[in-house]
Amino acid sequence: MVRDKKVVDEVSGWLRIYDDGSVDRTWTGPPEVKFMAEPVTPHDKFIDGVATRDVVADPNAGLRVRIYLPEKTPDEENTKLPIILHFHGGGFCISEANWFMYYTVYTRLAREAPAIIVSVYLRRAPEHRIPAAADDGHSALLWLSSQAKSRSEPWLAGADFNRVFLIGDSSGANLVHEVAARAGKEDLSPLRLAGAIPVHPGFVRPERSQSELEQPESPFLTLEMVDKFLGFALPVGSTKEHPMTCPMGPAAPLLECLKLPPVLLCIAEKDLIRDTEMEYYEAMKKANKDIELHLSPGMGHSFYLNKIAVDMDPDTAAQTGGFISRVIEFIKTH
């Protein structure tokens, strides 16, 4: 007789953990939003000016990346394009590089920048706790460094390895800081890390901030998600003051001692965790780091990934356009 599995923990709509240790990430929330969490099949043909391809970067570790390649006009044939290395969000527990919500934003960024985007399929908690995702992000950067020498991946033939940027959404933005800090201790030449773009990073403290207590919850971030995802993702016995969730805290390396590239920190005014994101910004400035700030007024956490809001709400559409334009400006000037 087969025993029914029992749910021992869950995050509403997103994830269920069973008593046998298995994890189910099937979306069980409102069906009308399920399409945003559906995988997009890669396509070698250019669709709306962008082609996509999945590549195994490290067969031994099983590390995969998705490449977004923008179509060049005849005038651009000899132009080398910057590389944007992307780390997806999801509280270290959910999401995949091939989800539709990322596809819509990062095909647009690839096309409008223009740039080659390399998005990493990250290992997820609770099966793979921190620092697994950071190790994957770092390995992807090392793979790009090896590609700068070997030029063996044809889809990177037109890449400018002297202009490599990191970008990440939510928990992926935590990885941007961590991978940039690791890169500062290494010689990646001929690759040059030209900039880092953490977007709405999941930086927190053990105690609730004012914004966590006062700001409205959004579809992409609730207090339950903050607490439960980090509970599943942090090393057993760690608190939110772990260096990867609180890089400005007492457990983290001193920011003054880190060798970091220029940073563009993107924050949403109504983000639940805005206060701790701003604490990171102030700490980086105090440490004399090269950091710029882009604020999206009236917006919540990861608003630009909400395709329904971007299509239906003029304010969200305008702020998404402004955010993407600011990222492109940062890339063009670094």
Side-chain angles (χ1 to χ4, degrees), residues 77-151:
E77 269 315 311
N78 297 318
T79 306
K80 296 287 188 184
L81 298 179
I83 298 174
I84 305 173
L85 183 60
H86 170 244
F87 308 135
H88 67 72
F92 304 106
C93 293
I94 57 168
S95 311
E96 289 239 54
N98 60 9
W99 275 18
F100 181 74
M101 67 171 70
Y102 301 115
Y103 178 85
T104 58
V105 171
Y106 287 96
T107 48
R108 178 176 175 180
L109 181 57
R111 184 173 55 245
E112 293 182 9
I116 298 169
I117 295 176
V118 178
S119 185
V120 187
Y121 286 89
L122 301 164
R123 283 176 293 168
R124 298 171 298 186
E127 303 97 322
H128 305 282
R129 289 178 178 259
I130 289 169
D135 293 343
D136 291 343
H138 182 228
S139 294
L141 182 62
L142 295 179
W143 176 73
L144 285 178
S145 176
S146 73
Q147 286 297 320
K149 296 172 188 149
S150 70
R151 304 287 176 141

Side-chain angles (χ1 to χ4, degrees), residues 219-270:
F220 287 140
L221 195 67
T222 64
L223 292 176
E224 179 198 29
M225 290 167 72
V226 171
D227 293 344
K228 289 226 167 160
F229 282 154
L230 293 184
F232 300 149
L234 287 166
V236 175
S238 295
T239 73
K240 289 177 181 173
E241 242 157 24
H242 186 278
M244 278 188 54
T245 47
C246 192
M248 61 287 185
L254 286 173
L255 293 174
E256 291 89 338
C257 300
L258 299 181
K259 183 184 173 189
L260 297 170
V263 175
L264 172 63
L265 174 64
C266 300
I267 287 179
E269 182 189 16
K270 294 192 178 299

Side-chain angles (χ1 to χ4, degrees), residues 156-173:
L156 298 177
D160 180 359
F161 287 93
N162 197 45
R163 294 176 65 221
V164 175
F165 296 83
L166 306 179
I167 193 169
D169 325 273
S170 191
S171 58

